[in-house]
Amino acid sequence: MSRRRFLARATGIVGVTAAPMAASAQQISLPTVKWRLTSSFPKSLDAIYGIAESIGKRVAASTGGKFQIQVFAAGELVPALQALDAVQNNTVECAHTAPYFYFGKDPTFAFGCAVPFGMNARHQNAWMYYGGGMALMRDFYQKYNIVHFPAGNTGAQMGGWFRKEVRTIADLKGLKIRIGGFAGRVLAKLGAVPMQIAASDIYPALEKGTIDAAEWVGPYDDEKLGFYKVAKNYYYPGWWEGGPELDLFVNQGAWNALPKEYQSILEAACAEANVLMLAKYDAMNPAAMRRLVVNHRVQLRPFTREILEACWNAANEVCAEEAAKNPEFKKIYESWKPFRDDQILWSRVAEQNFDRFMTSAGAKPAANR
Ligand code: CA
């Protein structure tokens, strides 16, 4: 008698040994769940959009295909900047989005993503997972009927594409710029005209001259969106986004209805996404930056000290003004700010000195060897 036939006779199930049978029985007891996820990003941006598909694949693979999350790009079901409303109203069960897109509803959303001169990706993770950020944001998001999970980060962003050079504060006056979230309010204080425009609509606005400047993410995405064709000055750093967090927003009722096992799997898939998106951007950005500079003759330009200091002062004023009138903002700001300052204190001892050495004597970029 073959081993297979012997096992079949012994277990009563053809081709299934004892251990898989236990797993199979468990899966049978769990329900089939089908969710829809709306992304705030277009399919062409494989890092920021693609991570939502990775979450769906991980969840399906971990549940024997019983928990399916179908991913829709921005605009397929819901416009990019209305993802929160769609989850809140249970039009879809979940969304992958940047919380600061909803800054207009309440600036407190920015803490769940990026605040000007805020945290880098590591600091943001430290605050969210171990610094009280998760509980504070969960509490805030309750009234929007959502549960959030950190699910991606771009790392420090570029300052964006400017048709003309900007050197002084005077150069910012009247500047029409596409910029995300909180930073718009800071730049408005300095006389600029900020606009929040979804990814796919930025290029035509910049090409037509409806706007004078636009920021999106960094070299890997920005190259695909083609901004270098219509604006050659590529500024850095994106001081408003040292490490913006992307989130999976889940409808509270849909979350509560999930079996505990699926909740755990989804939470783990988001934590995995939080690592993988940053890794992908970090892996892809150097070559994209080289192509932009060498092939497309883009001018990399640092923001001047004058501009950075004016923006720093304006950002602190905006935060203080908001804290004075918005109790929820104030509550989170008072946890977030000392945590950020402590992170910088620690970073400047080891991390910054390591980085400084590596970018000077220690290691030369490949192009300079
Ligand atoms: Ca951005």
Side-chain angles (χ1 to χ4, degrees):
M1 184 184 294
S2 74
R3 178 175 160 77
R4 179 175 286 266
R5 286 186 63 192
F6 172 78
L7 284 169
R9 186 171 291 181
T11 62
I13 298 173
V14 175
V16 178
T17 56
M21 189 175 79
S24 174
Q26 186 187 32
Q27 283 163 9
I28 288 164
S29 72
L30 290 169
T32 297
V33 174
K34 290 191 174 172
W35 276 14
R36 297 192 301 175
L37 181 158
T38 186
S39 168
S40 285
F41 311 105
K43 279 186 183 162
S44 60
L45 302 181
D46 60 284
I48 202 164
Y49 167 83
I51 205 70
E53 290 196 328
S54 299
I55 291 170
K57 282 180 187 158
R58 175 64 74 201
V59 164
S62 305
T63 58
K66 290 207 152 217
F67 184 10
Q68 296 278 346
I69 301 177
Q70 191 178 1
V71 179
F72 295 87
E76 285 186 330
L77 289 178
V78 177
L81 305 179
Q82 289 173 30
L84 167 67
D85 306 70
V87 178
Q88 188 177 351
N89 302 330
N90 208 21
T91 306
V92 292
E93 288 81 8
C94 60
H96 189 250
T97 190
Y100 69 12
F101 285 159
Y102 314 102
F103 174 84
K105 293 177 189 288
D106 188 328
T108 310
F109 275 99
F111 292 113
C113 183
V115 174
F117 300 101
M119 302 194 197
N120 69 22
R122 286 181 50 187
H123 302 161
Q124 180 73 11
N125 279 336
W127 181 66
M128 196 55 81
Y129 291 127
Y130 292 102
M134 190 72 94
L136 285 165
M137 294 313 298
R138 286 259 164 106
D139 194 37
F140 169 70
Y141 289 141
Q142 263 184 16
K143 71 176 168 195
Y144 296 92
N145 202 27
I146 58 172
V147 184
H148 85 291
F149 298 90
N153 199 302
T154 65
Q157 296 197 357
M158 289 292 283
W161 303 83
F162 290 67
R163 291 161 72 95
K164 292 182 186 164
E165 282 187 62
V166 288
R167 294 198 184 92
T168 65
I169 305 304
D171 294 334
L172 297 177
K173 295 263 186 304
L175 184 88
K176 285 175 284 182
I177 177 168
R178 182 276 169 199
I179 193 163
F182 207 145
R185 201 155 130 197
V186 176
L187 283 175
K189 242 183 194 300
L190 300 169
V193 184
M195 299 175 189
Q196 186 150 274
I197 302 173
S200 54
D201 300 326
I202 303 172
Y203 181 88
L206 195 58
E207 185 185 31
K208 283 181 204 149
T210 315
I211 53 176
D212 306 306
E215 65 86 32
W216 174 249
V217 171
Y220 185 58
D221 278 2
D222 292 4
E223 180 190 31
K224 285 186 182 167
L225 295 173
F227 302 139
Y228 62 86
K229 294 174 197 162
V230 285
K232 288 290 183 191
N233 301 291
Y234 196 18
Y235 276 86
Y236 62 89
W239 44 264
W240 50 94
E241 294 181 272
E245 174 185 313
L246 289 305
D247 274 4
L248 189 77
F249 279 172
V250 178
N251 176 275
Q252 181 75 61
W255 173 253
N256 293 346
L258 278 184
K260 290 272 179 286
E261 292 87 344
Y262 290 2
Q263 289 183 342
S264 177
I265 286 166
L266 182 57
E267 188 170 16
C270 289
E272 179 184 49
N274 208 29
V275 174
L276 294 182
M277 188 201 288
L278 181 60
K280 185 160 190 177
Y281 274 118
D282 280 341
M284 299 300 176
N285 275 328
M289 187 173 72
R290 205 173 279 125
R291 285 192 297 272
L292 287 170
V293 172
V294 176
N295 300 351
H296 301 302
R297 305 285 172 207
V298 164
Q299 291 289 318
L300 292 180
R301 298 190 190 280
F303 285 124
T304 59
R305 188 91 199 168
E306 177 185 330
I307 286 182
L308 285 177
E309 282 183 357
C311 292
W312 162 257
N313 290 332
N316 288 332
E317 283 172 25
V318 170
C319 283
E321 286 162 12
E322 190 61 34
K325 66 184 180 192
N326 181 338
E328 284 182 296
F329 185 96
K330 182 171 188 280
K331 180 179 151 195
I332 298 180
Y333 186 52
E334 286 176 353
S335 153
W336 175 93
K337 188 171 179 297
F339 193 90
R340 177 200 64 179
D341 294 346
D342 263 4
Q343 287 297 301
I344 292 168
L345 180 70
W346 160 228
S347 291
R348 66 190 291 182
V349 177
E351 197 86 13
Q352 284 179 18
N353 282 295
F354 177 74
D355 287 349
R356 195 172 298 125
F357 179 79
M358 291 301 286
T359 51
S360 58
K364 296 271 188 260
N368 296 347
R369 278 186 200 135

